[in-house]
Amino acid sequence: MVEDFLFTSESVTEGHPDKVCDQISDAVLDDVLRQDPNGRVACETFITVGLVIVGGEITTKEYVDIQKLVRELIRDIGYTDSKYGFNYKTCAILNAIGPQSEDISQGVDVGGAGDQGLMVGFACRETPELMPLPIMLAHKLTRRLSQVRKEGILDYLGPDGKSQVTVEYRAGKPARVNTIVLSSQHTTEILDATGKQITEDARQEIIAAVARPVIDPGLLDDRTIFYVNPTGKFVIGGPQCDTGMTGRKIIVDTYGGMAPHGGGAFSGKDPTKVDRSATYMARYIAKNIVAAELAERCTVQLAYAIGVAEPVSVMVFCDGTERVPNGRLEKLVRKHFDLTPRGIIETLRLRRPIFTPTAAYGHFGRTEETFTWEKTDKVADLQKDA
């Protein structure tokens, strides 16, 4: 018998320092792929007070204007005024990029994986996107925080922000939202007379403008708890108060903790790096299995050795919800999905500048056309052979 439980997931806005770094790393990758689809990129970014450092290994014959690219991206995120503690015009930018090791290249050039590692994909029936409900709600809240800021609906909000959603499950199924946490950077104009708390009017305004428009009213009730900036205020935010680094929000990027995570982060890595491309393939496989109604939930693990094309292992686990044996599903996966790095890149069309949008609000459960790993075009084949 499946017991009742609470499950929590979080998300962060595009202005969170870690997400700023993810977006910069993926913007560098996209600029390389735009000019050189075969370019190799492993780009890491670090941000702190008044400083951005972009480093890593890039192999390409083309030129990337790091200064221009970084400033434009930070501007678009919203760090356009020093009142937010960071300004795209005045921040220092350090370029510390070098070429990729030839020892790695010699294994990748012949079609092998760009690194060893294990990668995980997941899907379940909790939402139309076949994603866990808590992470999808958390992403909706952070997207809405960004929207109301950029559209001037709540013009006192700053770029940095977080959400957290706790969902109550009954007999293994999501039943209601127990708790919502919203933390958003803001200006001093909504502080009360003590200067230590936002006003109750501002708190209620944020709940009304951010939470209620995006959360299904059927999931909310009079017992749902709302925390808005629970420390009291959030005036100092962004890189002024918190360093950021590429790859530190891996659970936000994937399934909100509902599924295991593989061995590496995604942003700043070209598709020869199976940390990224094989994780996308694992999601593609899991989503098609669930969409084909062969299971209610599905976890797929792939693993690779550096320089070797075929995966060293393929595992399909459906947590007792499968309608055909897991071993049979594994055989179907090997038959219908090309799991070599080249096959993954071709199947999902990954040698394109499509990655910057993945760097905020999750890599999975997205509906944009460029998120090719969200397609369910293998359903008929899987159902026929199952």
Side-chain angles (χ1 to χ4, degrees), residues 230-246:
T231 66
K233 65 177 182 176
F234 188 179
V235 174
I236 301 172
Q240 184 181 13
C241 73
D242 186 13
T243 59
M245 294 183 70
T246 301

Side-chain angles (χ1 to χ4, degrees), residues 108-326:
V108 176
D109 291 342
V110 295
D115 201 353
Q116 71 175 45
L118 59 108
M119 300 83 206
V120 177
F122 179 76
C124 64
R125 291 202 162 276
E126 292 183 11
T127 67
E129 300 87 357
L130 303 185
M131 287 283 288
L133 180 64
I135 188 65
M136 294 304 293
L137 295 181
H139 285 324
K140 285 184 177 181
L141 289 170
T142 49
R143 278 185 175 275
R144 181 63 180 171
L145 273 174
S146 180
Q147 181 185 6
V148 299
R149 169 177 62 88
K150 290 185 173 182
E151 293 182 0
I153 297 171
L154 300 179
D155 58 4
Y156 49 76
L157 296 185
D160 194 2
K162 289 185 173 184
S163 72
Q164 186 170 284
V165 179
T166 300
V167 174
E168 180 181 330
Y169 283 73
R170 296 174 186 161
K173 303 290 184 181
R176 59 180 290 274
V177 172
N178 181 272
T179 306
I180 292 174
V181 182
L182 290 169
S183 297
S184 183
Q185 184 182 13
H186 59 84
T187 58
T188 57
E189 65 187 88
I190 61 169
L191 294 177
D192 65 13
T194 70
K196 296 181 179 180
Q197 301 278 339
I198 64 171
T199 66
E200 180 61 22
D201 286 347
R203 178 180 176 275
Q204 293 298 330
E205 188 175 41
I206 291 170
I207 293 171
V210 177
R212 296 199 181 277
V214 298
I215 304 295
D216 182 348
L219 293 171
L220 303 175
D221 56 34
D222 57 7
R223 295 184 295 124
T224 299
I225 301 167
F226 290 90
Y227 290 114
V228 179
N229 286 3
T231 66
K233 65 177 182 176
F234 188 179
V235 174
I236 301 172
Q240 184 181 13
C241 73
D242 186 13
T243 59
M245 294 183 70
T246 301
R248 287 207 300 198
K249 285 290 176 284
I250 57 176
I251 301 302
V252 170
D253 286 342
T254 54
Y255 307 101
M258 188 69 76
H261 194 281
F266 310 140
S267 290
K269 298 178 181 178
D270 75 76
T272 67
K273 279 72 171 175
V274 284
D275 277 343
R276 179 171 222 158
S277 56
T279 302
Y280 290 175
M281 177 57 82
R283 162 65 176 172
Y284 179 49
I285 294 167
K287 187 173 183 180
N288 274 271
I289 288 172
V290 172
E293 300 184 351
L294 301 182
E296 290 294 309
R297 55 194 292 122
C298 179
T299 301
V300 173
Q301 187 200 70
L302 307 175
Y304 292 82
I306 188 168
V308 179
E310 292 291 339
V312 299
S313 70
V314 177
M315 185 275 291
V316 180
F317 176 69
C318 298
D319 199 22
T321 69
E322 65 274 9
R323 294 187 171 89
V324 295
N326 288 322

